[in-house]
Amino acid sequence: MSQALSPTAPLPSTAVTGTALVTTGHGGVEVMQLEQRVTPAPAPGEVRVRLRAAAFNHLDLWVRKGIPADHWPVPMVPCADGAGEIDAVGEGVPDVPHLRPGARVAVYPVLSCGHCTRCREAQPQLCRSFGLLGEHVDGCAQTYRNLPASQVLPLPEALSFEEGASMPTTFITAWHMLTDRARVQPGETVLVHGAGSGVGSAGVQVAKLLGARVIATVRRDRDELRAIELGADRVLRTDDGDWPRHARRACPGGVHVVFEHVGAATWDGSVRALQRGGRLVTCGATAGHEVTLNLRKIFFHSIEVLGSTMGTRREFERVLTLTAQGRLVPVVGAVRPLSEGAEAMTLLEDRAVFGKVVLQIP
Ligand code: ZN
């Protein structure tokens, strides 16, 4: 039996229509298209987020390009990272301030099964079902997205939506790499590659916050000053092939920790820059993932090579708190409207900006 609603009755939570940027296939920027998307009412345990900003990561380029060795499903809405407001709330969602309609939130982009041993230990990045928004399921470059309530965190008032969207993947990753994995101690020297990249600009700040002395690498003159503003004590240019020697000169015996995310282009130098007992922590390989490794250096010098991917929800909470306190700073390099998403992606691809490329979702 149908039931008429009076014009003044509160509307039930219904489907809404919005716009999505979609990676429609593998190829150049021409595969990026805008599409209308209908988002249903949130399922039990979910909230619907009205996204206001989203940010690109290199992952979005890999999905678009479709690296042959990996399976990247398309069509896919890019952007693991996003921030916005709670638009609707599903049944069974706890009644807490950040899960009520209108609350400002940032998205925690990690997907996991939620019930395996790793998930119960709050280590979802080690779950066998680990995935990321924008890689395995649609990401945040769209007007509306239903998400499990556990995947949104309160966005501090001090942060704009653009700043909030710029932070999740890079700062969670950098924090996890330097604390949980590389165990950086005050007074140690950390070499952070690619200070002009999203994760590098986060790495410089996190290493500094942990009390380390930071040597940053950059690719061009205009990034040197920005790296120093973020806290780097010394800046090296990786187009100078002698940078590993300069690093060893700046920290006699070699650096304690190298923060790697570049891969093939820097790997050999990164290993050479380390001191005995040093740690190399890597979260990615934007310039190639095939490297050679001299095992004699690894065992004679007691080098640790540490892999790292993303981090925990609790680490994201910590990062947001430190940002609200002004102790970490979001690095937004460029802001473009969602309708210019394809062009914005080329800014990341060409490494044309210092920091993150953020999309505004009107
Ligand atoms: Zn799990």
Side-chain angles (χ1 to χ4, degrees):
M1 190 176 72
S2 67
Q3 197 175 358
L5 286 170
S6 81
T8 53
L11 285 170
S13 182
T14 53
V16 287
T17 303
T19 306
L21 179 68
V22 183
T23 308
T24 59
H26 299 306
V29 288
E30 71 283 354
V31 304
M32 306 304 296
Q33 304 284 339
L34 290 174
E35 293 179 3
Q36 294 298 300
R37 287 284 175 100
V38 174
T39 305
E46 286 186 343
V47 291
R48 187 167 64 207
V49 180
R50 170 42 170 111
L51 289 150
R52 297 289 177 184
F56 284 120
N57 289 288
H58 269 274
L59 178 65
D60 300 310
L61 289 177
W62 293 331
V63 172
R64 196 199 75 199
K65 290 176 179 174
I67 295 166
D70 293 304
H71 174 65
W72 305 100
V74 285
M76 181 68 68
V77 175
C79 299
D81 299 333
E85 294 156 315
I86 300 289
D87 174 66
V89 179
E91 278 177 38
V93 170
D95 182 28
V96 293
H98 81 277
L99 296 176
R100 291 175 191 153
R104 301 168 82 252
V105 291
V107 174
Y108 173 61
V110 172
L111 309 166
S112 64
C113 79
H115 50 75
C116 71
T117 308
R118 303 294 203 179
C119 286
R120 288 202 305 272
E121 292 168 351
Q123 298 286 333
Q125 76 281 3
L126 301 178
C127 173
R128 288 182 66 176
S129 301
F130 169 85
L132 284 176
L133 296 179
E135 180 183 9
H136 300 88
V137 298
D138 286 337
C140 294
Q142 54 184 327
T143 323
Y144 296 99
R145 179 77 170 84
N146 285 332
L147 291 166
S150 59
Q151 274 186 262
V152 298
L153 279 75
L155 177 66
E157 280 300 323
L159 297 183
S160 67
F161 290 122
E162 291 78 16
E163 290 172 329
S166 76
M167 298 199 63
T169 296
T170 50
F171 273 89
I172 296 169
T173 298
W175 186 269
H176 189 73
M177 288 171 77
L178 292 169
T179 59
D180 185 82
R181 304 299 285 145
R183 315 175 304 279
V184 169
Q185 301 300 310
E188 290 190 322
T189 298
V190 179
L191 176 78
V192 178
H193 278 302
S197 69
V199 74
S201 60
V204 169
Q205 295 187 63
V206 172
K208 198 69 194 170
L209 188 72
L210 296 172
R213 181 168 164 259
V214 178
I215 301 174
T217 71
V218 297
R219 292 155 50 90
R220 56 194 166 199
D221 288 339
R222 68 173 197 246
D223 290 349
E224 289 186 23
L225 187 60
R226 299 293 310 278
I228 289 167
E229 285 168 358
L230 290 180
D233 298 283
R234 179 83 193 268
V235 182
L236 301 177
R237 288 279 295 265
T238 40
D239 53 355
D240 173 354
D242 249 359
W243 66 265
R245 201 163 54 84
H246 296 316
R248 293 182 68 88
R249 196 176 287 161
C251 184
V255 303
H256 299 83
V257 172
V258 175
F259 181 95
E260 252 292 349
H261 54 99
V262 180
T266 50
W267 183 266
D268 185 55
S270 294
V271 174
R272 281 190 285 132
L274 281 171
Q275 63 174 245
R276 290 171 186 252
R279 292 94 78 195
L280 189 160
V281 61
T282 176
C283 70
T286 54
H289 58 268
E290 300 271 353
V291 298
T292 56
L293 193 55
N294 182 339
L295 286 176
R296 288 192 304 171
K297 172 91 178 175
I298 300 299
F299 57 74
F300 276 135
H301 289 189
S302 301
I303 300 288
E304 286 182 67
V305 177
L306 302 159
S308 188
T309 199
M310 287 301 291
T312 69
R313 189 181 189 279
R314 186 169 287 273
E315 288 171 316
F316 188 27
E317 281 173 352
R318 182 97 177 98
V319 160
L320 285 173
T321 301
L322 289 164
T323 309
Q325 294 168 351
R327 298 173 71 194
L328 294 173
V329 179
V331 186
V332 177
V335 179
R336 296 287 185 276
L338 184 69
S339 57
E340 294 174 18
E343 295 89 334
M345 206 172 205
T346 63
L347 297 175
L348 173 67
E349 196 163 10
D350 299 341
R351 300 175 198 267
V353 299
F354 190 101
K356 299 289 288 180
V357 178
V358 177
L359 297 174
Q360 257 175 350
I361 304 172

